[in-house]
Amino acid sequence: MENEVFKVTGGSRLSGQVHVPGAKNSALKLMTASLLAAGTTQLENVPDIADVEIMAELLTRLGAQVNRDISNSTLEIKVPENIGHRADYDLVRRMRASINVLGPILARCHEVDVALPGGDEIGSRGVDMHIAGLTKMGAEFNSDHGYLIARAPKGLHGARIWLDIPSVGATENILTAAVLAKGETVIENAAREPEIVDLCLMLNKMGAQISGIGTNTISIIGVTKLTATTHEVVGDRIVAGTWAVAAAITQGEVTVTGVNPTHLQIPLEKLMSAGAQIEIANDSFTVRMTQRPNPVEIVTLPYPGFPTDLQPQFIVLNSIANGAAMVTENLFEARFRFTQELARLGADLQIDGHHCLVKGRLQLSAAPVEATDVRAGAALVLAGLIADGVTVVSGVSHIDRGYANFVSNLTSLGATIERTRESI
Ligand code: UD1
């Protein structure tokens, strides 16, 4: 059997400029939001990543016609008057963000069947807030043969919804349902990630009436109809943050363009504490590092706190720092699973619940490792950049889910990396 791998030879200093595409976590939600209006939605600055393909397939099965032009990063989605209402398991299991069709389909069709992502049951931790919010708006939920089934025969109505924690997915599903509901919905303790702001901006262009955008209280006055629009996806702050860490750990100098640096305020401050010099411009920033990093304490929190999606990359930074630091993961405990792989590269890591104590080593030591999720995968490639020898990262399909042209971008910055096939 053959397996695609990245072979990374450590020791290069990264320098140059890299452009980040639109954010995965925005593009996917904007794609689902296109279902809210019959007509042609045009998305620009869409990243060339595997998850966009999966979402395009899902929309196609729902009756939309999706045309992707990779050469100019655009996506045209033609949505018919009547759309399907079922999201199949084979797609949902490949991409959890498929759950984001829940709000738009329920709003348009008043019925939706979405396969539950693996391990989830009705009312379980993963989607309980989505269900509670939509139930308050008049939907009735059941689960049947692995599918979450929602019906709102009388349509949805506005409601006051308090989220226990500011969940990104729950905020988005409630928002996309509320835009076509009768009356006013208020989401309190809403998530306010830049990708949610992007979604609200597109919805308002479509004719929605959303206020409180970017705050933790969002109010939505439902309208009867939305109109398809054109929208440019916000730059990917997580990809940008990944390049920033890559520059810092290789003691390089990299300018990252295509992102709003204010979306990365805390991670960039952490890099400064690690010893990096950062220059900020309007839609770009430069990271320059000339020393071994200082250790930096990290606590992940909903935006504007430190993003959990950059936690693995900062563990890599701490693994070669000149001291020890604690990294606390408050959103997804499973995110520490990748540390077992990082330990194979010689990193000194002690896990205790949702804390990881990282003791910096002078250098990591190359070994074969396996990517288990998109951010862990990127972090393991970064670790390979600072390991002695050739690190072979398998499971690259995870990295393809979120990073467009990862290898060619790294190569253009001076890294030695190739994508190849290996027998296993
Ligand atoms: C999104 C992002 C993901 C990011 C995360 C947090 C996408 C496709 N994914 O995921 O990259 O890491 O935000 O910034 O945009 N929770 C519940 N009940 C719910 C919903 C969530 O308990 O009903 C819990 C989750 O298990 C998790 C926490 O809340 O522990 C945060 O989840 P959430 O903000 O919803 O993340 P996602 O939208 O899944």
Side-chain angles (χ1 to χ4, degrees):
M1 207 172 118
E2 283 208 320
N3 182 20
E4 271 201 304
V5 298
F6 288 166
K7 281 191 178 166
V8 195
T9 307
S12 305
R13 174 180 178 272
L14 297 196
S15 75
Q17 186 166 316
V18 63
H19 185 74
V20 302
K24 164 175 99 67
N25 288 352
S26 184
L28 298 174
K29 320 310 172 57
L30 302 177
M31 288 175 77
T32 65
S34 72
L35 293 170
L36 286 162
T40 305
T41 295
Q42 177 92 11
L43 296 178
E44 292 163 359
N45 200 27
V46 177
D48 179 13
I49 52 172
D51 273 11
V52 166
E53 275 304 316
I54 300 175
M55 187 58 88
E57 199 178 328
L58 178 49
L59 297 185
T60 306
R61 281 196 210 171
L62 291 166
Q65 234 185 65
V66 184
N67 299 311
R68 191 167 177 198
D69 183 347
I70 291 174
S71 65
N72 64 6
S73 311
T74 58
L75 198 64
E76 186 189 72
I77 308 166
K78 288 187 183 160
V79 176
E81 211 47 70
N82 296 313
I83 56 170
H85 68 268
R86 183 180 166 93
D88 295 319
Y89 181 56
D90 65 315
L91 294 177
V92 177
R93 70 194 285 251
R94 281 162 68 195
M95 185 182 64
R96 243 194 93 91
S98 310
I99 196 78
N100 269 74
V101 296
L102 190 59
I105 299 181
L106 195 55
R108 280 275 321 273
C109 308
H110 300 170
E111 57 177 345
V112 57
D113 303 355
V114 185
L116 283 162
D120 282 334
E121 281 174 12
I122 195 166
S124 76
R125 192 165 169 254
V127 284
D128 55 346
M129 285 187 280
H130 303 233
I131 294 172
L134 295 169
T135 301
K136 268 197 131 178
M137 297 173 68
E140 284 166 18
F141 280 85
N142 269 300
S143 81
D144 189 36
H145 297 294
Y147 278 75
L148 184 63
I149 304 203
R151 298 285 180 266
K154 294 187 195 134
L156 296 171
H157 53 76
R160 207 169 184 91
I161 296 161
W162 167 270
L163 297 180
D164 291 344
I165 51 170
S167 152
V168 171
T171 303
E172 291 165 341
N173 263 329
I174 295 166
L175 250 172
T176 47
V179 286
L180 287 179
K182 223 176 268 162
E184 184 179 13
T185 299
V186 178
I187 314 174
E188 289 183 90
N189 199 26
R192 48 198 177 118
E193 270 66 3
E195 295 77 25
I196 292 180
V197 171
D198 206 26
L199 174 63
C200 290
L201 294 177
M202 174 162 131
L203 290 170
N204 273 359
K205 271 196 227 164
M206 293 169 76
Q209 289 187 25
I210 306 172
S211 56
I213 297 175
T215 75
N216 55 14
T217 304
I218 303 178
S219 79
I220 308 112
I221 297 170
V223 297
T224 50
K225 197 172 179 258
L226 295 172
T227 315
T229 191
T230 298
H231 189 78
E232 185 183 333
V233 183
V234 67
D236 198 317
R237 66 195 162 102
I238 304 301
V239 172
T242 304
W243 293 126
V245 175
I249 58 176
T250 61
Q251 298 194 18
E253 180 170 344
V254 173
T255 298
V256 184
T257 62
V259 67
N260 180 345
T262 60
H263 294 165
L264 275 168
Q265 194 177 338
I266 294 186
L268 293 181
E269 276 171 16
K270 289 289 173 189
L271 284 178
M272 284 193 261
S273 308
Q277 294 147 31
I278 314 256
E279 265 170 48
I280 305 272
N282 271 350
D283 61 355
S284 70
F285 62 85
T286 300
V287 178
R288 185 179 308 116
M289 185 76 149
T290 53
Q291 61 170 77
R292 186 178 171 197
N294 304 317
V296 283
E297 305 277 319
I298 301 290
V299 179
T300 67
L301 283 171
Y303 190 84
F306 188 95
T308 172
D309 288 354
L310 284 176
Q311 175 259 94
Q313 298 86 323
F314 273 76
I315 288 191
V316 171
L317 178 136
N318 277 325
S319 72
I320 52 148
N322 56 16
M326 187 69 87
V327 175
T328 302
E329 172 57 55
N330 287 315
L331 293 144
F332 298 105
E333 276 177 37
R335 275 259 149 97
F336 282 152
R337 266 189 219 146
F338 97 104
T339 57
Q340 290 168 8
E341 297 298 306
L342 192 56
R344 291 179 43 71
L345 299 178
D348 184 345
L349 310 158
Q350 286 167 42
I351 309 284
D352 182 6
H354 63 129
H355 300 292
C356 176
L357 177 66
V358 190
K359 290 185 186 153
R361 288 246 155 101
L362 244 188
Q363 195 178 26
L364 300 181
S365 155
V369 287
E370 183 166 3
T372 47
D373 73 66
V374 48
R375 306 304 167 194
L380 288 170
V381 172
L382 298 195
L385 294 174
I386 46 170
D388 181 11
V390 181
T391 296
V392 179
V393 183
S394 56
V396 302
S397 59
H398 289 290
I399 303 173
D400 293 339
R401 289 189 45 205
Y403 290 85
N405 310 315
F406 201 43
V407 167
S408 58
N409 279 323
L410 277 164
T411 306
S412 76
L413 293 174
T416 307
I417 177 167
E418 59 168 333
R419 184 182 189 117
T420 176
R421 287 186 178 275
E422 211 164 64
S423 302
I424 49 167

